[in-house]
Amino acid sequence: MHPFLSLTLGSLAVGAIAGLPMADTITSFTTGFGSTAAGVGTLATVLLPVALMIDKALADIFAAEGTAVRTVLDFLGAPLVALLLAVIVAMFTLGGGAATDRKAIAKSWSSRCHRSRTSC
């Protein structure tokens, strides 16, 4: 049986055995799963530039020069590009974890760019 399915069914069974209403059991499960998924998203955001730079290094070793894979990974794995991508991803993943929606992120970004043209 798939581990996720086992955990889901196990959680529902434990809630039923404990005498919790099904709605409370489902709410508790989704809240717990959401916080776990947010932690995984945070970890993935932090590790994104490292993974891109490692992929570039592996492409330099194993991919033939001039291939599309090597060209793309050489670009994405450049330290400045990898860090820029991590910042952009972090604005949404970490901003979403702080209950900030996309409109608020866009407003914050545009207001900072309009205040100081040299910083954007």
Side-chain angles (χ1 to χ4, degrees):
M1 184 179 277
H2 193 275
F4 180 75
L5 183 60
S6 299
L7 289 172
T8 304
L9 294 176
S11 299
L12 294 174
V14 168
I17 292 169
L20 291 173
M22 189 57 70
D24 290 347
T25 303
I26 292 172
T27 301
S28 177
F29 176 77
T30 55
T31 303
F33 179 73
S35 64
T36 302
V40 170
T42 301
L43 181 64
T45 300
V46 170
L47 293 179
L48 176 64
V50 175
L52 288 172
M53 288 185 264
I54 289 173
D55 288 343
K56 178 194 179 309
L58 291 173
D60 288 345
I61 294 169
F62 296 112
E65 195 165 336
T67 61
V69 171
R70 180 142 178 206
T71 304
V72 169
L73 288 177
D74 278 344
F75 176 74
L76 294 177
L80 289 176
V81 175
L83 291 172
L84 175 64
L85 290 173
V87 168
I88 292 169
V89 169
M91 286 191 317
F92 293 99
T93 58
L94 303 179
T100 306
D101 62 353
R102 288 183 181 165
K103 288 182 182 180
I105 293 170
K107 182 179 177 184
S108 171
W109 183 260
S110 66
S111 69
R112 290 189 179 137
C113 287
H114 290 300
R115 273 189 269 160
S116 171
R117 291 282 182 196
T118 59
S119 66
C120 286

